[in-house]
Amino acid sequence: MKLKKYFLFVFAFAYLMGFMGYTSYEAIKDLMIFKIEYIYLKLAIMGMFTFYTMQTIIAGLNVLFFSKDVETLLPLPIKENKIVMAKMNVLIISEYLTGLLILAPVLVVYGYMLKLGALYYLLATLGFLLLPVIPVILMSLIVTTIMKFTNIIRNKNVVQYLSIILTIVLVLVIEFLGGTANENVTQEDVANNITSINAIADEYSYLYMPVKPIYEMLMNYNNLKGLESLIQISILSIAVYIVGTNLLSKIYLRIITSLNKSGKKKTKKTIEYKITSARKAFFD
């Protein structure tokens, strides 16, 4: 049974990757006629950054507060910073899986269509690895801060429902893109739509801090400007990772401890209520 589930997962994953690859191929082919194929690459990176941000809100709650290893780790003589770093690494790796499904096909197809060299693929790999670091750290800080001051999202079932909704949205977006690629639209329509989306994206470019250096790194993969962009995004990502994990370590375990205490109190009250009720019923 496990082997069957594994096979189905691999098949579905490969199918969706192929689907994204085909969609990217058709879109880039049309945009190359107007020499604006670079816009597709930029929008893909911006879209992936947005999805990483959304996914971290839900995945961060699961990994940081609702995972089974939380109670096991608390009594162990492990530094707070090490626990937080391990949690952040798990989140980043989970984002890589989503990136393999959506962004990786775009990067590969773009390099293939434009006949770019091996250096492009090397920098594309580095950009792929660096892109989720900043949204994961920043959103984890926000989620942890929210959990510190409010109990709005302390229900595990709510988080699971949100995870399912996000997955459905992802599948619908991929199907929509594929459906658009198969419709009888002209090349001018595709170019106009992409250009319009790009204009809107440029207005909110300040929200996509890591996207610009990664995009410029890929566009200038064979010159010094590309190297400068790589150094810039590498330093920025490392700095955010170090500072962010240190800040998280100062508040994370306190929140976990308080959550566990409140959970135990509720359980204890429920048990005492049941025992008292049973005793009364027996003597009455």
Side-chain angles (χ1 to χ4, degrees), residues 54-72:
M54 295 170 55
Q55 186 175 357
T56 302
I57 297 173
I58 299 170
L61 285 168
N62 276 318
V63 172
L64 291 170
F65 300 103
F66 300 126
S67 60
K68 295 179 180 179
D69 63 349
V70 171
E71 292 185 2
T72 306

Side-chain angles (χ1 to χ4, degrees), residues 3-15:
L3 184 62
K4 185 177 180 180
K5 289 181 179 179
Y6 178 77
F7 174 78
L8 289 174
F9 174 79
V10 172
F11 175 79
F13 200 87
Y15 172 79

